[in-house]
């Protein structure tokens, strides 16, 4: 244990995802030794992200305005929605340059053991977007793992009465991993080879 | 246990949690060692050698390295890929998830052999994957039997107070099940005779009767099993409210 403020900093850093106690300590001491100007810049970035960044009112992606960059872009097709779990999946798919439609960010996957059910995700918002018939294809790009698969299964069955074309990224995507770790080539190929879901 | 802390076992993955950048902590129920938690390194990368073998429901042959607090998974080979089937059917997925959570909570401690729980779980997952019965019935059969293995066998027939042969019209969760008119505490439930008959059939494995049961008995039976389970656990199962009844 360190004294007061240093320990407070280590505790706060240790709360971040992927940062263990040892890393927290290392970052804390790095900051202690760093130039005050550099630290100031970090503080400003942290404050700005909480002040300026919000979630797109249409798709749930991170946005600096009411709507995100993708939803504001008039060149994006309105007939296709790609459903993902997290904003970082949008970034991964945008990198492939394969997809020209819009997104819907669920905010996670159905995970009963963590107490996360369909009502805890942005599924009602998705149904509202599908209501007027503009969207004709739904691409389910949830993670290629069990929870992502179960979430896709649930959504496919839910929208079945709407008569949309519902597709899932090709099974060429390795199972068990996180979407964000797929390289552009594999993910791009998975888009081209997406398969119809029939539940 | 073999040399340099390596050991081999078979198990079912109960739960996974993200760890650091690309690892996961995997909770497993193993045949020999009981419930363990082990680190699967790099498993979230799409290039991982483990692929989807360490997802919940997967039944795997494992090689592990004993660690200081958590063991490390060094190899995993699929025995039965339950996850592939259960991920594609929402009712079976939610029923199966409740089984995984229940068995994690009903096995007392890590590294306590729990072979009966293990065999019960593998059998129930096999039945669920093969769609042998209604998923809700498979779940409830699994729950009453797991409770029995854990030492909380409910009675659906004889009175738990005095042993008087049943069936009785009252059911008291806190008393352990069926109660006769003399022993019946205030606030006991009064389930339909068909419901108690169904629960008895699930406990003893009389599937012919269970499969023939009516929806009403199944719904009421599930409510009693859930109440009984929650009473015996300190806090209820999170996944139980999300189980889809078909
Ligand atoms: Zn948007
Ligand atoms: Zn009695």
């Amino acid at each position: 244990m360190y004294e007061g403020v240093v320990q407070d900093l280590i505790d706060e850093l240790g709360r971040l995802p992927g940062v263990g106690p040892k890393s927290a300590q290392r970052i804390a001491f790095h900051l202690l030794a760093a130039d005050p100007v550099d630290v100031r810049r970090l503080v400003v970035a942290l404050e700005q992200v909480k002040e300026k960044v919000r979630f797109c009112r249409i798709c749930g992606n991170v946005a600096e305005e009411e709507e995100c960059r993708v939803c504001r872009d008039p060149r994006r097709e309105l007939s296709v929605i790609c459903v993902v779990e997290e904003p970082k999946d949008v970034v991964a798919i945008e990198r492939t340059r394969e997809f020209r439609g819009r997104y819907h960010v669920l905010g996670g996957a159905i995970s009963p053991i963590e107490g996360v059910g369909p009502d805890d995700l942005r599924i009602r918002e998705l149904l509202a977007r599908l209501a007027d018939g503009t969207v004709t294809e739904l691409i389910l790009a949830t993670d290629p793992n069990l929870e992502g698969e179960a979430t896709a299964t649930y959504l496919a069955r839910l929208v079945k009465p709407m008569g949309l074309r519902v597709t899932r990224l090709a099974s060429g995507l390795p199972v068990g991993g996180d979407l964000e770790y797929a390289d552009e080539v594999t993910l791009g190929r998975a888009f081209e080879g997406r398969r119809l879901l029939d539940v | 246990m073999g040399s340099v802390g390596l050991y081999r076992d078979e198990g079912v993955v109960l739960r996974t949690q993200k760890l650091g950048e690309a690892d996961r902590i995997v909770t497993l129920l193993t045949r020999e060692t009981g419930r363990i938690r082990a680190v699967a390194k790099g498993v979230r990368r799409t290039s991982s050698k483990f692929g989807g073998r360490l997802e919940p429901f997967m039944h795997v042959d494992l090689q592990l390295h004993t660690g200081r607090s958590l063991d490390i998974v060094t190899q995993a080979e699929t025995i039965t890929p339950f996850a592939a089937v259960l991920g594609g059917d929402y009712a079976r997925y939610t029923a199966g998830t409740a089984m995984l959570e229940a068995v994690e909570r009903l096995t007392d401690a890590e590294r306590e052999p729990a072979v009966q729980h293990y065999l019960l779980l593998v059998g129930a997952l096999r039945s669920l994957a093969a769609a042998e019965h209604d998923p809700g019935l498979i779940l409830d059969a699994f729950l009453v039997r797991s409770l029995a293995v854990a030492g909380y066998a409910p009675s659906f027939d004889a009175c738990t107070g005095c042993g008087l042969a049943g069936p009785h019209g009252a059911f008291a969760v806190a008393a352990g099940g069926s109660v006769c008119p003399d022993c019946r505490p205030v606030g006991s439930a009064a389930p339909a005779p068909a419901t108690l008959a169904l629960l008895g059939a699930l406990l003893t494995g009389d599937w012919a009767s269970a499969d023939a049961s009516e929806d009403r008995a199944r719904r009421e039976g599930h409510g009693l099993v859930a109440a009984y389970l929650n009473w015996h656990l300190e806090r209820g199962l999170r996944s139980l409210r999300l189980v889809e009844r078909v």
Side-chain angles (χ1 to χ4, degrees), chain B residues 159 161-164 180 183:
Chain B
C159 171
C162 67
L164 184 69
C180 76
C183 298

Side-chain angles (χ1 to χ4, degrees), chain A residues 56-61 63 67-72 103 129:
Chain A
C56 173
R57 69 180 177 88
I58 297 173
C59 72
N61 189 13
E67 293 169 11
C68 75
R69 197 175 42 77
V70 176
C71 289
R72 283 199 321 266
Y103 293 93
R129 290 180 71 185

Side-chain angles (χ1 to χ4, degrees), chain B residues 4-17:
Chain B
V4 291
L6 269 184
Y7 68 101
R8 206 173 150 184
D9 207 337
E10 62 173 76
V12 173
V13 178
L14 303 182
R15 176 200 291 271
T16 66
Q17 292 153 264

Side-chain angles (χ1 to χ4, degrees), chain A residues 18 88 110-118 120 144-147 149-150 153-154 157 174-178 181-183, chain B residues 14-15 18 20-22 24 43-46 51-52 55-57 83 87-90 93 97 101 238-239 241-242 244:
Chain A
K88 58 184 193 281
I110 298 174
S111 176
I113 213 160
E114 305 294 340
V116 179
D120 303 306
N145 55 33
L146 175 75
E147 287 166 356
E149 209 58 53
T153 303
Y154 177 86
R157 200 190 51 183
V175 177
D178 286 4
Y181 286 123
D183 63 278
Chain B
L14 303 182
R15 176 200 291 271
K18 289 185 180 183
E21 278 286 308
R24 278 204 179 101
V43 70
R44 280 156 56 210
R45 299 199 189 280
T46 45
E55 297 268 21
F57 295 126
D89 183 309
Y90 192 68
Y93 167 72
T97 306
E101 190 183 1
R238 295 215 256 191
S239 52
R241 80 176 169 91
L242 295 167
E244 193 175 63

Side-chain angles (χ1 to χ4, degrees), chain B residues 158-164 168 178-184:
Chain B
C159 171
T160 59
C162 67
L164 184 69
H168 301 291
S178 287
V179 276
C180 76
D182 290 336
C183 298
R184 136 175 222 164

